[in-house]
Amino acid sequence: MKKWNIKLSEFGENTENHLRLLIENEKIKGNEEKTKITMRLGDPSVFGNFPPHPSIKSAITEAIQRDKFTYAGNVGYIFAREAVAEYASHMGEIKADDVILTNCCSMSLEMCILALANRGENILVPKPCYHYETFTNGIGIEIQYYNLDPENDWQIDLVHLESLINEKTKAIVVNSPGNPCGNVFSLQHMFEIIDIAERHCLPIISDEIYEFVTFGDVKHYSFASVSKNVPILVCSGLTKRFLTPAIRCGWIIISDRGNKLQEIRKGLIQKIGGRGFGPNSTIQHALSNILKNVPQTFFNNVNARVDNNARLLFDHLNKIKGLRPIMPKGSIFMLLKIELEKFPKISSSMEFMQLLIKEQNVYTFPSECFHFPGYLRLVLTIPTDVLLETCTRFEEFCNKYLNNEQ
């Protein structure tokens, strides 16, 4: 007699998000004598101290009245795509036909990768980096990790990047402002990256979800605004800059001055775009007002507050023996280097994180999750009083485990 034998598919078996997996499988119990502090997820809305601008709620409320809740086709409503094209005018001449609306930036990235690479082929991504392998492992697309240099503002090691390129390489993924490093590429460095892409005829997938989230006089430039000959697929959305992570509205902007992405454009619009049908209809109706009505002063204030948190955190952690924070230039993250040689009873940043939870009830992500051991990733959008309490707990923890003979 035939028996039930239902197994998870190869795709399902090989697909995982390292950050979410760590949270779901975590069995460590935090110290209940201390309040829980989480510096984990890149969600600025968690603590309520970074609310979205009131005009966003107004735009959604008004959009509900106009929305007929109908399907918007593969790429989104034309009026919503026109709004994104206008918003992206800093990239150059962008038209509505260059915009594909998606459910989120992650979906935009996945679509671009699926359009460019086949099983057995590879894309180049930074290390440390966001978990792009979530989009590739289940379908056999390989990832080659190129190094970012922590001693040089997390710029790309260009020699290492170019050494990885072979006949199966289909694209270079870049991320600036970056997660988890907080790096922001200079114009000169962007030209150097584009030069490599042009010499090898490789398109660039530019993850710009943290666009314009920069500190002080640091400026964000889109790769689409810099490149003249290399085609760029820009992936972004409302999540980070507009402080609306749960809205689920992203986009792909196709910047292709030489018309080299004809087949890719057609595939994204007519084929791959049909997998998701864009973000929900109400958000599309609200998109124009959201993109137009949030004042620049709001963004300036948010950036200044995150910058202040970064400086405060840096100043306090930098005084603690065994810790070496790296000041970010943008995004909402800071990487904290653990000088493990000074903590003889702790073998890795993963173990450091686990003990920090158990003893101090402080939750962070170890950089093993980003393929770059030895660091912790800290989120910068927590309230100032919580941030200072976090520093106190770090100091108490480090003083306990520090090798005092050094």
Side-chain angles (χ1 to χ4, degrees):
M1 183 176 179
K2 192 172 182 179
K3 296 182 179 179
W4 291 96
N5 186 26
I6 302 174
K7 296 183 178 180
L8 183 63
S9 69
E10 180 183 350
F11 174 81
E13 189 67 40
N14 292 323
T15 300
E16 62 182 32
N17 180 316
H18 291 310
L19 304 187
R20 299 289 182 178
L21 195 64
L22 186 149
I23 292 173
E24 291 178 9
N25 293 337
E26 197 165 59
K27 298 179 180 179
I28 304 168
K29 189 175 182 180
N31 184 351
E32 294 182 352
E33 294 182 1
K34 298 176 181 286
T35 57
K36 180 178 179 179
I37 297 176
T38 179
M39 301 184 77
R40 277 189 165 171
L41 295 180
D43 182 346
S45 67
V46 169
F47 287 92
N49 58 318
F50 280 93
H53 192 268
S55 66
I56 294 179
K57 292 184 178 181
S58 298
I60 296 172
T61 301
E62 190 271 336
I64 291 173
Q65 305 305 316
R66 291 188 286 110
D67 194 358
K68 295 181 180 180
F69 309 103
T70 57
Y71 284 127
N74 286 7
V75 294
Y77 293 123
I78 181 64
F79 56 80
R81 289 186 286 122
E82 286 173 344
V84 174
E86 182 178 350
Y87 170 77
S89 60
H90 63 282
M91 299 180 186
E93 186 179 351
I94 303 296
K95 304 183 295 297
D97 288 343
D98 299 319
V99 177
I100 298 171
L101 295 179
T102 68
N103 284 315
C104 58
C105 184
S106 292
M107 182 178 181
S108 300
L109 292 161
E110 181 182 38
M111 288 173 62
C112 291
I113 292 169
L114 292 177
L116 288 166
N118 296 303
R119 179 180 293 273
E121 296 175 335
N122 68 78
I123 60 171
L124 308 184
V125 306
K127 184 177 71 172
C129 69
Y130 175 77
H131 42 279
Y132 299 106
E133 69 276 359
T134 301
F135 312 134
T136 61
N137 287 352
I139 53 178
I141 297 172
E142 298 176 2
I143 283 185
Q144 297 288 340
Y145 295 99
Y146 62 81
N147 293 330
L148 302 181
D149 184 359
E151 305 302 326
N152 191 23
D153 290 330
W154 296 108
Q155 290 193 110
I156 295 173
D157 181 337
L158 298 172
V159 174
H160 185 238
L161 168 68
E162 192 160 16
S163 73
L164 297 174
I165 297 173
N166 58 40
E167 69 280 357
K168 292 187 177 182
T169 303
K170 294 300 175 180
I172 300 172
V173 177
V174 295
N175 179 210
S176 175
N179 171 13
C181 305
N183 53 313
V184 180
F185 294 150
S186 66
L187 270 176
Q188 178 59 38
H189 193 51
M190 294 170 73
F191 284 125
E192 293 169 339
I193 298 164
I194 290 168
D195 179 62
I196 292 174
E198 184 169 7
R199 283 192 278 109
H200 293 275
C201 298
L202 291 173
I204 290 176
I205 301 173
S206 186
D207 179 354
E208 299 183 16
I209 190 60
Y210 292 98
E211 59 186 357
F212 303 113
V213 183
T214 60
F215 308 146
D217 58 359
V218 175
K219 292 185 178 181
H220 159 73
Y221 298 95
S222 172
F223 271 83
S225 68
V226 177
S227 176
K228 294 181 179 179
N229 297 315
V230 174
I232 311 291
L233 294 169
V234 176
C235 299
S236 191
L238 294 179
T239 299
K240 308 299 183 180
R241 189 185 187 211
F242 289 83
L243 308 179
T244 54
I247 275 185
R248 315 312 291 160
C249 179
W251 51 74
I252 301 168
I253 295 173
I254 304 172
S255 176
D256 183 24
R257 292 179 175 88
N259 206 25
K260 301 175 181 70
L261 292 180
Q262 269 187 307
E263 189 174 333
I264 301 303
R265 180 191 292 265
K266 183 177 180 181
L268 283 169
I269 294 172
Q270 296 185 2
K271 297 179 180 293
I272 298 175
R275 299 175 78 221
F277 296 108
N280 74 73
S281 57
T282 300
I283 293 303
Q284 292 192 57
H285 279 282
L287 197 51
S288 178
N289 284 335
I290 291 174
L291 295 175
K292 289 180 179 178
N293 293 345
V294 179
Q296 184 60 44
T297 51
F298 172 80
F299 298 124
N300 293 344
N301 178 60
V302 169
N303 287 0
R305 290 175 60 201
V306 179
D307 185 14
N308 286 336
N309 275 1
R311 294 179 186 279
L312 188 63
L313 190 62
F314 178 90
D315 289 343
H316 280 73
L317 294 180
N318 201 40
K319 297 174 183 176
I320 301 174
K321 291 182 179 180
L323 303 182
R324 188 161 69 86
I326 301 178
M327 185 65 191
K329 291 186 174 181
S331 82
I332 59 173
F333 304 110
M334 172 186 288
L335 278 184
L336 174 66
K337 181 174 177 58
I338 310 299
E339 297 178 332
L340 289 169
E341 68 277 7
K342 296 181 180 179
F343 300 96
K345 294 183 179 181
I346 301 176
S347 62
S348 66
S349 50
M350 176 70 78
E351 186 179 4
F352 192 103
M353 177 273 298
Q354 292 169 340
L355 287 170
L356 193 64
I357 293 173
K358 184 178 179 180
E359 298 185 13
Q360 298 293 336
N361 215 4
V362 173
Y363 289 71
T364 64
F365 275 131
S367 56
E368 280 87 346
C369 294
F370 307 102
H371 313 285
F372 201 81
Y375 295 75
L376 298 179
R377 190 190 76 170
L378 310 179
V379 173
L380 301 172
T381 50
I382 68 175
T384 303
D385 60 331
V386 179
L387 186 149
L388 292 173
E389 171 63 20
T390 302
C391 293
T392 298
R393 296 190 193 182
F394 263 105
E395 184 172 17
E396 181 180 323
F397 179 84
C398 289
N399 287 341
K400 175 181 176 180
Y401 285 96
L402 197 67
N403 182 357
N404 293 319
E405 295 180 1
Q406 295 186 9

